[in-house]
Amino acid sequence: MLFFTQCFGAVLDLIHLRFQHYKAKRVFSAAGQLVCVVNPTHSLKYAPTRCAAAQSSAEQGILPPCHHHEAVHDPQLVPCTCPLFSCPWEGHLEVVVSHLRQTHRINILQGAEIVFLATDMHLPAPTDWIIMHSCLGHQFLLVLRKQEKYEGHPQFFATMMLIGTPTQADNFTYRLELNRNQRRLKWEATPRSVLECVDSVISDGDCLVLNTSLAQLFSDNGSLAIGIAITTSKVHNAEAEM
């Protein structure tokens, strides 16, 4: 009975996922955009990353203790960039993508323009929706987070991070677009590098920020569709022509 119960639950989840994907394709197929249905990653025990803990200590004027073994730490190593996981992994930029796909099972979607469909927006904070976007020969990490910046007032934060260096990130521009019920909202900016912290980007507010009521205006039955487009920056294009 336990076996059949678990199988039945898995079938229901698959049916729900297929239904969400069908709805998204019906809405966005006219625009010829690829749709990725993203289920939430929810954790009741939100463990801040090492960079977030360091930032909090710096804000309080507390410097982290200095240890002799820190002097031999390889500065080229990148900590795990997957939010909501207290993951001790470190590695070079070239293997970040394989780590995210193999360890954290993060999907990757290819295409110049895609639609990020986040489900179950009603879940309590903190909750993350994460995918990787492969475009223009690079990989990007899109993070949508529901978080309480002020107690009792959850907000949604969406940002795009390049899995590369800050210099490489300056060569691109990303656009996030919400479009529903004759309302349109756009956010356009230069992506940040994964060498920076997702937590710091969100705390700085350098991303698309939605309060709950605004998110509800653009959501459909608890799902939020975000159109994503990535282009090379005008400055980079001008330099290439010269």
Side-chain angles (χ1 to χ4, degrees):
M1 290 182 63
L2 180 61
F3 173 76
F4 284 108
T5 300
Q6 291 177 341
C7 289
F8 183 69
V11 170
L12 286 180
D13 290 341
L14 180 60
I15 293 174
H16 174 71
L17 182 63
R18 293 293 296 177
F19 177 70
Q20 293 285 353
H21 189 264
Y22 170 75
K23 284 203 312 178
K25 287 186 68 176
R26 185 182 59 187
V27 173
F28 295 101
S29 59
Q33 293 175 306
L34 297 174
V35 178
C36 183
V37 180
V38 185
N39 292 320
T41 300
H42 183 64
S43 174
L44 295 177
K45 296 181 180 179
Y46 185 81
T49 58
R50 282 166 292 177
C51 56
Q55 180 184 7
S56 177
S57 299
E59 291 174 352
Q60 298 174 11
I62 304 173
L63 294 177
C66 180
H67 300 286
H68 291 292
H69 68 272
E70 291 182 354
V72 297
H73 177 73
D74 188 348
Q76 295 182 343
L77 292 179
V78 182
C80 178
T81 58
C82 190
L84 282 185
F85 288 99
S86 182
C87 179
W89 180 89
E90 283 186 330
H92 293 275
L93 277 173
E94 306 85 65
V95 293
V96 169
V97 173
S98 60
H99 169 74
L100 293 176
R101 296 198 68 182
Q102 296 173 10
T103 303
H104 301 299
R105 305 297 181 188
I106 296 181
N107 294 325
I108 186 167
L109 201 62
Q110 296 184 1
E113 295 186 10
I114 65 174
V115 174
F116 176 97
L117 184 66
T119 65
D120 300 323
M121 302 293 294
H122 61 278
L123 288 177
T127 304
D128 278 6
W129 293 260
I130 311 166
I131 63 165
M132 284 189 291
H133 182 188
S134 179
C135 181
L136 300 174
H138 289 77
Q139 282 73 39
F140 301 82
L141 187 70
L142 177 71
V143 178
L144 172 65
R145 174 176 296 176
K146 184 178 184 179
Q147 179 175 310
E148 288 189 359
K149 206 165 186 181
Y150 306 100
E151 186 175 358
H153 298 279
Q155 293 177 298
F156 293 89
F157 304 85
T159 186
M160 183 75 77
M161 312 285 288
L162 172 71
I163 302 179
T165 65
T167 302
Q168 291 174 321
D170 288 339
N171 294 327
F172 300 96
T173 299
Y174 75 94
R175 185 180 74 247
L176 305 179
E177 181 175 337
L178 304 176
N179 191 353
R180 185 173 181 269
N181 292 335
Q182 298 181 342
R183 298 179 179 88
R184 179 174 295 179
L185 181 63
K186 290 184 180 181
W187 167 266
E188 188 171 290
T190 299
R192 304 281 282 270
S193 167
V194 292
L195 296 177
E196 306 176 61
C197 296
V198 174
D199 295 334
S200 64
V201 174
I202 290 176
S203 63
D204 293 341
D206 186 16
C207 55
L208 174 64
V209 183
L210 305 172
N211 57 31
T212 304
S213 59
L214 191 57
Q216 289 175 348
L217 284 177
F218 289 98
S219 64
D220 180 19
N221 293 326
S223 297
L224 186 67
I226 304 177
I228 307 170
I230 301 176
T231 57
T232 54
S233 64
K234 294 180 180 179
V235 175
H236 178 66
N237 288 336
E239 291 177 350
E241 291 177 0
M242 293 177 63

